[in-house]
Amino acid sequence: MLSINHLSFSYEKNLVLDNVSFEVNNGEILGILGLNGAGKSTLLNSIAGFLPLQQGIIQFQHEQLNIKSIAMLETHNYFYPHLTAQEYLHIFFKNGQMVDLQSWAEMLDIPLNQEIEDFSTGMKKKLALLSILILDRPVMIFDEPFNGLDLESSFLLKEIILKLKAKGKIILLTSHILETLTGVCDKILWLKKGSVANVFEHDSFENIEKILKEDRTKLDTLHHLL
């Protein structure tokens, strides 16, 4: 189980996360939904250990979370120049680890001997995904993983995420597309202005869009403009 308890984070005087608490069980996919500026990236970066823990407790299996238990696919990935895909992926191998890299590369259409700087946006996304799969850690964070992927790759990624769930992984997933989250998640957390506004169970997903539309400020402006 991954437990987030009373997590708060500020950039100077700007409170970005305000007393955030939730739990994710083993073999569960939690979607995180929120507008731009809601605090999603700060929340994920805090859990992944990219940001210092200012206030709150993050635990995995009832112990302090070790960053070696987490793998995170970021929205934008950095790649060292002049590396081939194969050279990049070998950075993530552990001693003695057996991975059928060729089969993965063929399935994801990744040219292993090509330099990464010549890759398209979608190919870079798939390469970063494969590096996360090689790490094979119990907590996996996917921040906007479908961005830049074509329809076939998006379908394949969905199947990969569901296979990881079946293996007992804890998965955190963000997306700007609500249907992406409702299609794979067990629960969806609605983050609003840095706080947990709601946590929707699977059987209440149909109510999410209705609840989100209750804040009608922009919709009313749209109706006026049209």
Side-chain angles (χ1 to χ4, degrees), residues 11-154:
Y11 292 102
E12 296 182 350
K13 295 183 179 180
N14 182 25
L15 183 63
V16 179
L17 296 177
D18 184 11
N19 199 33
V20 172
S21 297
F22 61 90
E23 293 182 345
V24 192
N25 294 316
N26 298 342
E28 233 177 25
I29 303 173
L30 175 72
I32 300 176
L33 181 68
L35 301 177
N36 289 337
K40 298 191 300 298
S41 294
T42 300
L43 174 60
L44 298 183
N45 286 328
S46 296
I47 296 171
F50 297 152
L51 291 173
L53 190 61
Q54 293 182 349
Q55 182 176 329
I57 300 172
I58 303 176
Q59 292 184 315
F60 172 59
Q61 311 298 44
H62 306 291
E63 297 181 356
Q64 182 176 345
L65 178 64
N66 188 318
I67 60 172
K68 291 183 178 180
S69 297
I70 297 179
M72 179 173 173
L73 178 65
E74 300 178 74
T75 306
H76 305 289
N77 301 97
Y78 173 80
F79 300 95
Y80 294 106
H82 307 303
L83 280 183
T84 65
Q86 183 159 309
E87 290 169 336
Y88 172 77
L89 291 171
H90 274 282
I91 296 172
F92 299 88
F93 277 85
K94 296 176 285 189
N95 290 335
Q97 185 179 11
M98 299 295 292
V99 176
D100 189 349
L101 192 56
Q102 188 63 44
S103 294
W104 273 108
E106 290 175 1
M107 184 176 64
L108 295 172
D109 293 322
I110 298 173
L112 290 175
N113 295 318
Q114 184 174 329
E115 289 193 0
I116 302 169
E117 58 194 57
D118 297 326
F119 280 17
S120 67
T121 300
M123 287 169 61
K124 289 179 179 177
K125 176 71 76 171
K126 290 187 288 185
L127 179 62
L129 168 65
L130 184 49
S131 70
I132 297 305
L133 297 177
I134 290 172
L135 287 174
D136 193 30
R137 292 178 175 173
V139 180
M140 310 189 85
I141 299 174
F142 296 91
D143 191 8
E144 298 290 344
F146 296 93
N147 283 2
L149 296 183
D150 58 25
L151 186 61
E152 182 181 12
S153 298
S154 294

Side-chain angles (χ1 to χ4, degrees), residues 159-205:
E159 292 301 308
I160 289 171
I161 289 174
L162 291 174
K163 290 289 187 182
L164 294 171
K165 165 186 164 65
K167 291 177 65 177
K169 305 290 188 184
I170 291 172
I171 299 172
L172 305 184
L173 174 66
T174 70
S175 176
H176 284 98
I177 303 172
L178 178 59
E179 290 76 12
T180 300
L181 298 180
T182 57
V184 297
C185 294
D186 299 291
K187 297 185 295 187
I188 295 177
L189 181 149
W190 178 20
L191 194 63
K192 184 176 182 181
K193 296 181 179 179
S195 298
V196 177
N198 208 331
V199 177
F200 298 93
E201 301 292 336
H202 192 274
D203 58 4
S204 64
F205 282 180

